[in-house]
Amino acid sequence: MDFIQVIDLMGTVAFAISGALAAYNKKLDAFGIIIIAFVTAAGGGTLRDILLGVSPVSWMTNMNLVYTILVCVLVTFIFSQKLLKLRKTLFFFDTIGIGLYTVVGLEMGITAGLHPFICVTLGCITACFGGVIRDILVNEIPVIFRKNIYATACIAGGAIYFILRKFEAPENITFIVSGISVIIIRMLAVRFKWQLPRPYKD
Amino acid sequence: MDFIQVIDLMGTVAFAISGALAAYNKKLDAFGIIIIAFVTAAGGGTLRDILLGVSPVSWMTNMNLVYTILVCVLVTFIFSQKLLKLRKTLFFFDTIGIGLYTVVGLEMGITAGLHPFICVTLGCITACFGGVIRDILVNEIPVIFRKNIYATACIAGGAIYFILRKFEAPENITFIVSGISVIIIRMLAVRFKWQLPRPYKD
Amino acid sequence: MDFIQVIDLMGTVAFAISGALAAYNKKLDAFGIIIIAFVTAAGGGTLRDILLGVSPVSWMTNMNLVYTILVCVLVTFIFSQKLLKLRKTLFFFDTIGIGLYTVVGLEMGITAGLHPFICVTLGCITACFGGVIRDILVNEIPVIFRKNIYATACIAGGAIYFILRKFEAPENITFIVSGISVIIIRMLAVRFKWQLPRPYKD
């Protein structure tokens, strides 16, 4: 199991927990919780694989991923009272998830020989799409449209990735730094209420 | 035309009628009715094919399927007064459809050499996704989130399939028994208002 | 760059502007405007490529398309005051877009050797799906369900295409005439409030 697969698995854990918590908040039944956890964790990677033409899509041939999600749901069940008391837990796992998945998507775009622009887009899709479907299914406004720093953090992390690569930083360092950048930018954005410019005269 | 294709076509008939009836209930125009019938009948198989990497997706190269849907829409038109009087007709065709499509999805997963877990998931997607899109398009809460026994019936049917296979039952018998199981479980679930456990203290 | 690519690029321009204007109307931030423009311009072609099994999907390996969209967003920004004053601008660009994309989708279906029925469906998907996603994301009722002459114009254009081909009209003429037919039918439909029949007794 190489480095990028470890990051992928950690992202899966983060998103599966964030999905299970969101479903738990909405008081879905046992099956609903599993579905939402699965879709949140596997949704972004599934769209990425479909766009790239990887088939069958990765969760179909990767039982580790499926078992990981089921274990995460179980753990969330057991610790749900504690996890929900920490009001920021859902935000925390969601943010870890987008940082890790951005890097995974970037890496797959590079492996496919695509333009840096497209690689960043793929990182962004991998990171954000699972959360968007989660929000649609539990009937919230998709997080990506509520606060656009969400996706912008992924784009910034992607830019940092290519800058580090340009200076020939070691690959694993590049992955770690750009993934952590996404997480920090998102946390700062929420903390200090950063907003993107809006081209309107009020 | 082999056995699984016959089941596929029967599922198409059931779902095309259920889609046309749902669109009819919402008083859509002629084109809207055809679209909803088509999406209901072909939606689940399309997502299954995309996830598996079957391309072009099957309805693109299978005109029988397209003609079947058009004939079903026409038949629904002609008998609409009678079909709508029977209040349970939509439920009936929908239930037949999920039973048949579960088996078709399972079979395609096995042919692709996937893990039984994934095969059951594929059966579930093939059976449920068309109905989910139908409900979104006619602006109902997706049936799968209203009563989760819907998808759970497909999963139970999938489990029965693999148990029968383990005991080396003949293939066609295995298909028929597991398909009918889905239909019976769903009917009993609605009749006796079965619900999945919810992990909450009220 | 051959003829069909020129049409594709013109369609991209039309839809990118229509998407940027729709996002502008909803007062999204800078990132939201780029996303909506991109999804409107690339959404239909992406679904078409996925259904056909073209991978990676075309915008991933076609940076011209990506740059075109970004330039269109910029131009819409600069001229937004003027463009919005013309109340029919959004309708105009949207209609040009569906005319051009119908032809592109048709052509790709023919190249893939598919049945004329399926080719027309592909033209329709290419032309309509981007606008449908745009409307869902900016929270409008999808245009295709508001006035079904929208998709019906694409189907009529597709029929005209195959009639011209039957009479062995030159290829480029066939493309131009059928694309313009879509645009004219849609404009007449809106002008004279054409509606499809509805099979109900009121």
Side-chain angles (χ1 to χ4, degrees):
Chain A
M1 193 187 247
D2 64 17
F3 188 68
I4 201 78
Q5 285 177 304
V6 173
I7 293 186
D8 196 8
L9 211 61
M10 285 165 58
T12 304
V13 169
F15 270 132
I17 294 174
S18 109
L21 284 174
Y24 207 95
N25 272 332
K26 291 281 169 175
K27 300 203 177 269
L28 297 189
D29 66 19
F31 182 72
I33 295 173
I34 293 172
I35 292 267
I36 303 287
F38 191 87
V39 166
T40 309
T46 300
L47 181 57
R48 178 200 61 215
D49 289 351
I50 290 172
L51 294 173
L52 277 173
V54 174
S55 71
V57 297
S58 44
W59 57 263
M60 287 206 164
T61 51
N62 183 352
M63 289 308 292
N64 286 338
L65 201 146
V66 175
Y67 295 138
T68 303
I69 294 172
L70 292 177
V71 169
C72 289
V73 170
L74 204 69
V75 169
T76 311
F77 256 52
I78 296 168
F79 294 104
S80 59
Q81 295 309 316
K82 278 187 194 134
L83 287 173
L84 287 173
K85 256 172 215 154
L86 308 164
R87 283 181 79 204
K88 291 174 180 166
T89 316
L90 176 55
F91 169 73
F92 177 74
F93 281 105
D94 190 59
T95 301
I96 302 287
I98 66 165
L100 296 167
Y101 271 10
T102 300
V103 172
V104 176
L106 272 174
E107 160 69 14
M108 287 191 65
I110 292 163
T111 307
L114 299 173
H115 189 282
F117 247 54
I118 305 296
C119 295
V120 173
T121 308
L122 266 185
C124 204
I125 288 171
T126 310
C128 300
F129 195 71
V132 168
I133 309 185
R134 177 197 63 209
D135 291 344
I136 291 174
L137 291 182
V138 301
N139 209 14
E140 299 279 348
I141 300 165
V143 72
I144 199 170
F145 291 106
R146 275 179 286 162
K147 20 195 172 192
N148 280 327
I149 299 297
Y150 193 82
T152 310
C154 304
I155 293 171
I160 288 166
Y161 177 92
F162 280 103
I163 291 167
L164 288 172
R165 248 172 80 104
K166 187 137 200 177
F167 290 104
E168 290 171 15
E171 199 177 20
N172 288 2
I173 301 291
T174 310
F175 282 148
I176 292 169
V177 171
S178 49
I180 290 177
S181 304
V182 174
I183 296 170
I184 291 175
I185 293 169
R186 168 122 157 85
M187 287 190 164
L188 291 176
V190 170
R191 177 75 188 73
F192 295 106
K193 300 188 177 159
W194 289 349
Q195 282 204 317
L196 285 179
R198 287 153 170 270
Y200 311 99
K201 294 165 199 141
D202 291 311
Chain B
M1 193 185 247
D2 63 18
F3 187 68
I4 201 77
Q5 285 178 305
V6 174
I7 293 186
D8 197 8
L9 211 62
M10 284 165 58
T12 303
V13 169
F15 270 132
I17 294 174
S18 109
L21 284 173
Y24 207 95
N25 272 333
K26 290 281 168 175
K27 299 202 178 272
L28 296 189
D29 67 19
F31 181 71
I33 295 173
I34 292 172
I35 291 268
I36 304 286
F38 191 86
V39 166
T40 308
T46 300
L47 181 57
R48 179 200 61 215
D49 289 351
I50 290 173
L51 294 174
L52 277 173
V54 174
S55 70
V57 298
S58 44
W59 58 263
M60 288 206 163
T61 50
N62 183 353
M63 289 308 292
N64 286 338
L65 200 148
V66 175
Y67 295 138
T68 303
I69 294 172
L70 292 177
V71 169
C72 289
V73 170
L74 203 69
V75 169
T76 312
F77 256 52
I78 296 168
F79 294 104
S80 59
Q81 295 310 318
K82 276 186 195 137
L83 288 173
L84 287 173
K85 255 171 216 155
L86 307 164
R87 284 181 78 203
K88 291 176 179 162
T89 316
L90 176 54
F91 168 75
F92 177 73
F93 282 105
D94 190 60
T95 301
I96 303 286
I98 65 165
L100 296 166
Y101 270 10
T102 299
V103 172
V104 176
L106 271 173
E107 160 69 14
M108 286 190 66
I110 291 162
T111 307
L114 299 173
H115 188 282
F117 247 54
I118 304 296
C119 296
V120 173
T121 308
L122 268 185
C124 204
I125 288 172
T126 310
C128 299
F129 195 71
V132 169
I133 309 184
R134 176 197 64 209
D135 291 343
I136 291 174
L137 292 182
V138 302
N139 208 16
E140 299 279 348
I141 299 166
V143 71
I144 199 170
F145 291 106
R146 274 180 286 162
K147 24 197 169 189
N148 279 327
I149 299 297
Y150 194 81
T152 310
C154 304
I155 294 171
I160 289 165
Y161 178 91
F162 280 103
I163 291 166
L164 289 173
R165 248 172 80 105
K166 187 134 199 178
F167 289 103
E168 291 172 14
E171 201 176 18
N172 287 3
I173 300 291
T174 309
F175 282 148
I176 292 170
V177 171
S178 48
I180 291 177
S181 303
V182 174
I183 296 170
I184 291 174
I185 293 169
R186 170 124 156 84
M187 288 189 163
L188 291 177
V190 170
R191 177 74 187 75
F192 295 106
K193 300 189 178 161
W194 289 349
Q195 282 205 317
L196 285 179
R198 288 154 169 268
Y200 310 99
K201 294 163 201 145
D202 291 310
Chain C
M1 191 185 249
D2 63 17
F3 187 69
I4 201 78
Q5 284 177 306
V6 174
I7 294 187
D8 196 7
L9 212 61
M10 285 166 58
T12 304
V13 169
F15 270 133
I17 294 175
S18 109
L21 284 174
Y24 207 95
N25 272 334
K26 291 280 169 175
K27 300 202 177 272
L28 297 189
D29 66 18
F31 181 72
I33 295 173
I34 293 173
I35 292 268
I36 303 286
F38 191 86
V39 166
T40 309
T46 300
L47 181 57
R48 177 200 62 215
D49 289 351
I50 291 173
L51 293 174
L52 277 173
V54 174
S55 71
V57 297
S58 43
W59 57 264
M60 288 208 163
T61 51
N62 183 352
M63 289 309 291
N64 285 338
L65 200 147
V66 175
Y67 295 138
T68 303
I69 295 172
L70 292 177
V71 169
C72 290
V73 170
L74 204 69
V75 169
T76 312
F77 256 52
I78 296 168
F79 294 104
S80 59
Q81 294 309 317
K82 276 185 196 138
L83 288 173
L84 287 173
K85 254 171 218 155
L86 308 165
R87 283 181 79 204
K88 290 174 179 165
T89 317
L90 176 55
F91 168 74
F92 177 74
F93 282 105
D94 190 60
T95 301
I96 303 287
I98 66 164
L100 296 167
Y101 271 10
T102 300
V103 172
V104 176
L106 272 173
E107 160 68 15
M108 288 192 63
I110 292 163
T111 306
L114 299 172
H115 188 282
F117 247 53
I118 304 296
C119 296
V120 174
T121 308
L122 266 185
C124 204
I125 288 172
T126 309
C128 300
F129 194 71
V132 168
I133 309 185
R134 176 196 63 209
D135 291 343
I136 291 174
L137 292 183
V138 302
N139 209 15
E140 299 279 348
I141 300 166
V143 71
I144 198 170
F145 291 106
R146 273 180 288 163
K147 22 195 170 191
N148 279 328
I149 299 298
Y150 194 82
T152 311
C154 304
I155 294 171
I160 289 165
Y161 177 91
F162 280 103
I163 292 166
L164 288 173
R165 247 172 81 102
K166 186 134 199 177
F167 289 103
E168 289 171 17
E171 200 176 19
N172 288 1
I173 301 291
T174 309
F175 283 147
I176 292 169
V177 171
S178 48
I180 290 177
S181 304
V182 174
I183 296 170
I184 291 174
I185 293 169
R186 169 122 157 85
M187 288 189 162
L188 292 175
V190 170
R191 177 77 186 74
F192 296 106
K193 301 191 176 157
W194 290 349
Q195 283 204 316
L196 285 179
R198 289 153 168 270
Y200 311 99
K201 292 163 201 144
D202 291 309

